[in-house]
Amino acid sequence: MSEENKAIIRRAFEAWNAGNMDLFDELWAAGYVHHDPAEPDVRSLEDYKRYVAYVHAGYPDLHIIAEDMLAEGDKVAARYRMRATDTIGRPDRPPTGRQLTMTGISIYRLADGQIAEMWTNWDALGYYRQLGDKESNPS
């Protein structure tokens, strides 16, 4: 079961990299629950799909690479690295054109071959610093 669950998470990374919403509907459970302190408004599968589309609009070359995966029972923990270029910017700032690298760790709970729940923490502070956000610099 552990290897099967890790394969599902690898496919989830492929779905993210491609922005393939059909795979999201296949791999994520309809009752999916999302836990991310950096994105408190993202809770359900529909919220999550909107978030993925938003991220892909700002970072069309986004690529996530799984560095490590551990699985036990119905859970998979993945440590990953993301790379992307800020080509579009956000409403509060213009695009920087900067190549960004972020890291994160997520724990996925699977049920019936789908991702039912995820707890994630990624380096949001490092992300903002790479964009040159002076508010994130404590010095």
Side-chain angles (χ1 to χ4, degrees):
M1 182 62 101
S2 293
E3 289 306 313
E4 293 167 5
N5 285 346
K6 288 196 293 189
I8 291 167
I9 301 309
R10 283 188 198 94
R11 288 191 67 214
F13 285 159
E14 291 171 15
W16 250 101
N17 289 337
N20 184 338
M21 292 302 145
D22 291 335
L23 271 179
F24 278 80
D25 288 332
E26 177 185 331
L27 296 172
W28 275 263
Y32 170 76
V33 179
H34 186 77
H35 307 276
D36 180 353
E39 298 296 337
D41 295 333
V42 178
R43 300 290 298 160
S44 69
L45 178 57
E46 291 308 311
D47 293 341
Y48 191 60
K49 286 169 43 179
R50 280 190 294 276
Y51 172 70
V52 171
Y54 171 77
V55 170
H56 267 276
Y59 306 99
D61 66 341
L62 174 83
H63 190 75
I64 304 172
I65 300 162
E67 300 280 337
D68 289 303
M69 270 194 215
L70 303 169
E72 185 173 329
D74 64 350
K75 297 216 175 63
V76 175
R79 182 178 65 85
Y80 50 88
R81 179 172 26 97
M82 300 174 277
R83 291 188 179 148
T85 306
D86 178 31
T87 59
I88 294 180
R90 295 286 181 243
D92 61 333
R93 63 162 178 79
T96 64
R98 293 181 178 159
Q99 178 76 19
L100 308 171
T101 301
M102 294 142 299
T103 58
I105 296 175
S106 295
I107 299 172
Y108 303 84
R109 183 179 63 79
L110 290 95
D112 299 322
Q114 292 183 306
I115 300 167
E117 199 163 8
M118 179 174 74
W119 296 263
T120 193
N121 280 283
W122 55 279
D123 184 14
L125 179 61
Y127 163 77
Y128 288 112
R129 283 184 172 168
Q130 289 176 73
L131 289 171
D133 183 349
K134 297 186 186 353
E135 297 286 321
S136 68
N137 190 347
S139 58

